[in-house]
Amino acid sequence: MSDLTVYAERLFPAVQKAIRRAYRNAPGFRARMEAAGLRPRDLRSPADLHRLPVLRKDDLLQRQQADPPFGGMLMIPMERLRRAFQSPGPIYEPEPAIPDPWRWAPALQAAGFEPGDRVLIAFSYHLTPAGAMFEEALKILGCLAVPGGIGQQELQLQALRALRITAYIGLPSYLYNLMERAQAAGWDPQRDLALRKAFVTAEPLPASLRQDLQRFGLSVRQGYGTAECGCLGYECEREEGLHVPEDAYVELCDPQTGEPVPPGELGEIVVTLFHPAYALIRFGTGDLSRWLPEPCLCGRATPRLAGILGRVGEAVKVRGMFLHPRQMEAVFARFPEVQAYQAVIDREAHVDRLTFRVVLREPPSDPEAVRARLREAVRDGLRFQAEILLIPPEELPPGSPRLLDLRRWD
C-alpha cells in the first residue's frame, strides 16, 4: 500500500464528517451537492470524491457575489466569527474563534519556532488574512508577535535591534531587502541582530535566494498556503518538498476532469478543509504540483508536494499576491483615454517588479499627471505599487498578451 493510499484512508473519515456537517449546515454546499446529483452517503471512499466537481476560485467569487458575503457556505452565525477578511477578487474569508484557525503552528514548529521567540510578521494586516493568521499560530507556540506589516523598513530595523527579534515571517524577497538595508546602515546582521530563523511563504524561494539569506546567518524554511485555506504544506529540517498537513485533505487532480492524477504527474492542488465554520470542500487552489514518491527521512507520515510548479489559468502571483487579468481590466476600463495596456512582471535583486506599459489614444498634455492617476488607480484597485510607462502604439501591437511574466526562477 502506497503512502498516498495510507494518507487518503487515514484522513477520509474526517472528509466524510466535513461533508455531512456542510450538507446539514451550509445551504450553498448543499446546493452544490444537489447540482452534482449527490448526497453525503454517495461518497463512500477517496475514489468517490471526484464525483463532486472542484470549486474554482471564480466559482467561489460568483457564489459570494450571488449570496454575500460567504456564498451560503458559512455554517455558524457571523456573530460567532472572530474576524472576516477580504482578499483580491474580492473574496471574503471567515475566521472562527478557535485556536490557530489557519493551522500554521505545526509548520512554524517544524521551522524551529519555539516558546520565547520574538517574531516579526512582515505580512499585511489590512483586510487580507496573512498577518493575523500567523499571529494566531504564534499564540499557540508561546511566541511574541511583532506586527510589522509591509513597509516602514527603517522602523522595522530599529525594532529588530531594540526588541532582539529572533525570527521572521513574510516574503523571502522582503527579508532579503531588509537585511541588505541593515548592511547599508553599517550593521552586521549576524553580530548586531538576534534574528536567526525565518519562515517564508507566498512567493517562490529559489535556491539562490535561500543561499543569499543563509549568508546573513539565517535558517530559512518555506511553507505553502492560500488566503482561503491557510496552511497546505511546509518544509521539515530536510528541506526536501512540502509536507501536507494532517488537518486538511489535499489531492492532486486533473484541472479538466477533477480526477486524481497518478503519482508523479502534475496536478492541481485541491483541498478539503475540516473547518468548523466554513464549507470549503474540494476547493481548487489553481496551483500545480506533483507528489514526491519517497518517504521523507524526517519520519513525518504525511506525503510531500514537490513545491509549486505552475498555475492553472492566467492569474499569477506578484510579491505574494495574485494579479488577476479581470481585475486589471476593471481598473483600466475607468480610463477612456487608455487604448491598450500590458502588465510586465520581472525580478531584480530577488524582488518582483510590476510595470504597466500603457498606450494612450491621444498624446497627453501632462504625461506625469496621467501616470500619477494610473499609479493611484492600480494601487487602489489592485493593491500593487507599479511603474507606469507610457509608450507609442507601435510598441504594443494588437494581439500582445495582457500579462507578460519575464521572471526566471533558478
Side-chain angles (χ1 to χ4, degrees):
M1 189 178 291
S2 72
D3 287 346
L4 287 175
T5 302
V6 172
Y7 164 76
E9 292 188 353
R10 186 173 71 247
L11 267 63
F12 192 68
V15 173
Q16 289 179 304
K17 182 179 178 180
I19 289 172
R20 290 194 297 268
R21 180 173 56 221
Y23 191 82
R24 288 194 307 269
N25 300 309
F29 178 75
R30 186 184 184 109
R32 196 176 146 213
M33 289 279 284
E34 290 174 347
L38 295 172
R39 302 189 69 173
R41 65 171 177 260
D42 298 321
L43 304 178
R44 301 170 184 267
S45 73
D48 294 328
L49 272 182
H50 75 273
R51 297 173 62 188
L52 178 64
V54 172
L55 179 70
R56 306 282 173 201
K57 193 179 285 274
D58 284 346
D59 299 333
L60 180 59
L61 176 60
Q62 290 170 10
R63 286 176 181 274
Q64 290 193 352
Q65 289 174 341
D67 185 9
F70 298 113
M73 295 195 296
L74 192 67
M75 296 184 285
I76 62 174
M78 278 191 67
E79 293 74 21
R80 288 173 53 193
L81 296 174
R82 180 186 289 133
R83 300 183 181 98
F85 299 98
Q86 182 200 77
S87 294
I91 291 175
Y92 296 93
E93 296 98 12
E95 180 185 280
I98 60 175
D100 192 20
W102 305 94
R103 312 173 339 278
W104 282 107
L108 297 179
Q109 214 164 19
F113 286 54
E114 57 190 1
D117 271 326
R118 304 166 188 181
V119 186
L120 175 68
I121 303 177
F123 274 129
S124 174
Y125 277 76
H126 298 97
L127 285 179
T128 58
M133 65 166 61
F134 283 105
E135 189 166 315
E136 291 299 317
L138 292 176
K139 289 179 184 177
I140 298 293
L141 300 181
C143 301
L144 170 71
V146 180
I150 300 293
Q152 296 186 310
Q153 288 195 342
E154 293 298 332
L155 292 177
Q156 290 178 356
L157 285 175
Q158 292 175 25
L160 282 171
R161 195 168 188 175
L163 297 174
R164 301 300 291 168
I165 288 171
T166 59
Y168 166 95
I169 295 173
L171 298 174
S173 60
Y174 190 86
L175 177 58
Y176 178 79
N177 190 261
L178 200 60
M179 292 298 95
E180 280 213 315
R181 187 169 290 218
Q183 283 189 325
W187 297 2
D188 179 343
Q190 296 192 54
R191 184 192 65 222
D192 298 324
L193 300 177
L195 191 63
R196 294 297 178 264
K197 64 192 82 167
F199 183 84
V200 299
T201 186
E203 71 179 8
L205 177 64
S208 60
L209 179 51
R210 193 197 294 265
Q211 290 165 4
D212 284 344
L213 291 171
Q214 289 170 338
R215 293 189 186 105
F216 295 115
L218 298 174
S219 166
V220 184
R221 301 275 171 75
Q222 63 180 320
Y224 162 64
T226 72
E228 300 85 5
C229 302
C231 177
L232 297 177
Y234 58 90
E235 284 184 330
C236 66
E237 60 272 19
R238 304 289 303 181
E239 298 179 0
E240 297 170 349
L242 302 169
H243 287 274
V244 296
E246 289 275 6
D247 46 17
Y249 183 62
V250 177
E251 306 171 82
L252 293 185
C253 299
D254 184 302
Q256 276 72 49
T257 67
E259 296 190 21
V261 298
E265 289 193 12
L266 203 64
E268 180 183 9
I269 299 170
V270 174
V271 183
T272 294
L273 295 185
F274 311 148
H275 204 299
Y278 194 40
L280 206 60
I281 294 171
R282 296 213 84 215
F283 174 72
T285 64
D287 293 317
L288 298 172
S289 190
R290 61 178 177 84
W291 294 114
L292 291 176
E294 312 85 7
C296 186
L297 294 178
C298 77
R300 287 176 175 82
T302 54
R304 292 169 299 149
L305 300 170
I308 306 307
L309 306 177
R311 283 285 301 168
V312 176
E314 296 181 315
V316 297
K317 265 190 175 180
V318 182
R319 300 175 210 145
M321 293 183 64
F322 284 115
L323 178 62
H324 295 270
R326 73 169 175 275
Q327 288 178 281
M328 298 190 314
E329 291 171 9
V331 167
F332 284 93
R334 293 159 41 197
F335 294 89
E337 63 267 40
V338 173
Q339 176 178 308
Y341 66 89
Q342 181 185 63
V344 180
I345 309 160
D346 60 5
R347 194 166 172 87
E348 185 176 345
H350 303 307
V351 178
D352 290 342
R353 183 172 58 187
L354 176 62
T355 302
F356 281 94
R357 305 173 68 231
V358 178
V359 176
L360 300 177
R361 299 185 188 280
E362 301 290 341
S365 57
D366 188 347
E368 186 49 45
V370 174
R371 292 174 66 240
R373 287 172 54 223
L374 290 171
R375 271 197 306 269
E376 182 179 3
V378 167
R379 186 187 65 238
D380 292 345
L382 302 179
R383 300 188 192 170
F384 284 106
Q385 297 287 348
E387 180 183 352
I388 304 297
L389 188 62
L390 302 181
I391 61 173
E394 59 268 21
E395 292 188 19
L396 192 62
S400 299
R402 280 284 173 88
L403 197 154
L404 188 60
D405 192 347
L406 302 178
R407 295 172 295 184
R408 295 293 179 266
W409 307 101
D410 53 335

